[in-house]
């Protein structure tokens, strides 16, 4: 029994040394789209086997050599979002560029490619969106997801078509666009989720899975934050939806035009609650779909 325990210990050590846990998944996912994960699993498996092969004393007790490999695969698979690719799209960006782009692959109608965001007393929207997206990225990667970002700086010139194309190219399971609202009526507050709909969708099949993800994630985020749930809004006029070939949703985190909500959205703790709520909602969606 002691020897068996030692074997288990040495397998676990090999596992830790080649970092097959969350850390490895995070590292693999941070820098490469698509190729990091499978390689990490493969490397880990062979390293664990090499370790046991090298020790003659182990051979007698090594009941089932592939066990080590299986156990490692299960460790990785146990992360709830393992194998999932999420695109996070922090809305807007600071740019002096200005041009028009087609609102849909099915239409010659155009809209501005770059639009500046809402402005509150405490923050500007593009900075808030990126800060929450970075926190959300951390939450999702810790759960095993691979995350692709459409921008990582506030100075950024990324059009709405380009944002959709980044998610498309990554083969994302879901694209989450992160925004905050503004209104001329400063009394309006609360969170909502916009979802793709209508005849301008280049890929109509994204409509149903997007709505399902939107409902679950909005529910989870409002539970996590205590924010008012304003529900889902169908949008047929958003370029970023119409060009998307993958399920795509747009979270409006609250109104920067409402003084109280603006102040809340400026707090690190509240932003972290939003990120955790998004991750929880993604987990619920993955279990349900
Ligand atoms: Zn916005």
């Amino acid at each position: 029994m002691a020897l068996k325990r030692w074997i288990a210990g040495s397998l676990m050590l090999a596992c830790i040394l080649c970092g097959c846990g969350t850390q490895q998944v995070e590292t693999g996912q941070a820098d490469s789209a698509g190729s990091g994960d499978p390689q990490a699993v493969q490397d880990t498996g062979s390293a664990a086997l090499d370790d046991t092969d090298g020790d003659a004393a182990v051979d007698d007790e090594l009941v089932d050599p592939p066990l080590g490999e299986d156990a490692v695969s299960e460790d990785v698979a146990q992360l709830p979002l393992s194998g999932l690719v999420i695109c996070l799209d922090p809305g807007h960006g600071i740019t002096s560029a200005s041009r028009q782009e087609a609102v849909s692959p099915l239409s010659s109608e155009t809209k501005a490619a770059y639009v500046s965001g809402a402005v509150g007393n405490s923050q500007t929207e593009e900075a808030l969106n990126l800060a929450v997206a970075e926190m959300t990225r951390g939450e999702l990667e810790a759960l095993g997801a691979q995350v692709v970002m459409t921008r990582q700086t506030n100075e950024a010139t990324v059009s709405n078509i380009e944002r959709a194309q980044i998610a498309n190219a990554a083969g994302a399971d879901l694209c989450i666009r992160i925004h905050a609202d503004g209104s001329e009526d400063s009394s309006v507050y609360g969170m909502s989720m916009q979802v793709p709909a209508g005849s301008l969708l280049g890929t109509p099949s994204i409509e149903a899975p997007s709505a399902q993800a939107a409902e679950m994630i909005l529910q989870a985020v409002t539970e996590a934050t205590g924010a008012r749930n304003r529900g889902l809004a169908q949008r047929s006029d958003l370029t970023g939806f119409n060009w998307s070939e993958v399920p795509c949703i747009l979270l409006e985190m609250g109104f920067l035009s409402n003084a109280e909500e603006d102040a809340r959205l400026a707090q690190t703790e509240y932003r972290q609650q939003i990120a955790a709520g998004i991750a929880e909602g993604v987990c619920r969606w993955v279990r349900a779909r």
Side-chain angles (χ1 to χ4, degrees):
M1 283 308 282
L3 190 53
K4 274 185 182 168
R5 244 181 270 126
W6 184 85
I7 294 165
S10 70
L11 283 175
M12 194 171 292
L13 182 61
C15 200
I16 290 165
L17 288 176
C18 63
C20 83
T22 304
Q23 202 62 40
Q24 174 73 24
V25 173
E26 283 178 8
T27 308
Q29 286 158 351
D31 297 324
S32 65
S35 62
D37 245 358
Q39 192 59 45
V41 174
Q42 201 173 340
D43 287 353
T44 306
S46 60
L49 285 177
D50 287 347
D51 229 34
T52 52
D53 285 350
D55 191 333
V58 172
D59 287 341
D60 290 340
E61 280 284 339
L62 198 56
V63 180
D64 185 5
L67 183 64
E69 196 169 16
D70 289 350
V72 169
S73 301
E74 280 168 19
D75 278 352
V76 174
Q78 272 170 11
L79 292 171
L81 300 183
S82 185
L84 199 78
V85 179
I86 300 285
C87 179
L88 295 179
D89 175 25
H92 311 286
I94 300 168
T95 180
S96 57
S98 173
R99 65 180 172 86
Q100 295 286 114
E101 63 182 359
V103 72
S104 156
L106 307 177
S107 170
S108 56
E109 183 195 339
T110 64
K111 283 173 72 172
Y114 317 107
V115 183
S116 28
V119 178
N121 293 325
S122 310
Q123 63 223 309
T124 52
E125 190 194 335
E126 82 285 335
L128 166 65
N129 296 342
L130 180 58
V132 173
E134 291 285 9
M135 289 176 177
T136 305
R137 175 188 191 165
E139 295 281 336
L140 292 171
E141 287 183 345
L143 293 166
Q146 181 185 327
V147 175
V148 176
M149 305 277 289
T150 60
R151 68 173 173 97
Q152 297 184 72
T153 55
N154 283 321
E155 302 270 346
T157 306
V158 194
S159 82
N160 285 312
I161 291 179
E162 288 164 350
R163 290 168 194 265
Q165 287 172 336
I166 289 169
N168 295 345
D173 293 282
L174 179 65
C175 178
I176 306 173
R177 311 177 67 191
I178 298 178
H179 283 250
D181 248 328
S183 169
E184 298 202 344
D185 180 352
S186 63
S187 69
V188 180
Y189 67 97
M191 288 190 184
S192 64
M193 195 74 92
Q194 300 185 356
V195 293
S199 59
L200 290 180
L201 282 179
T203 307
S205 60
I206 69 170
E207 197 171 327
S210 299
Q212 185 191 30
E215 185 123 8
M216 291 183 161
I217 294 171
L218 181 60
Q219 181 64 34
V221 176
T222 51
E223 282 172 16
T225 56
R228 176 185 175 207
N229 186 336
R230 304 181 74 237
L232 268 50
Q234 294 191 327
R235 297 291 297 263
S236 61
D237 59 329
L238 296 188
T239 308
F241 282 166
N242 291 333
W243 285 84
S244 186
E245 296 166 5
V246 302
C248 189
I249 60 179
L250 190 155
L251 174 66
E252 294 282 9
M253 298 182 286
F255 284 78
L256 300 190
S257 46
N258 178 275
E260 281 179 29
E261 201 155 48
D262 176 48
R264 210 172 299 134
L265 284 163
Q267 296 169 359
T268 301
E269 191 183 348
Y270 189 74
R271 292 175 174 185
Q272 190 60 53
Q273 288 172 353
I274 295 174
I278 292 172
E280 167 61 20
V282 171
C283 287
R284 292 181 192 176
W285 176 63
V286 164
R287 287 196 296 269
R289 72 183 179 141

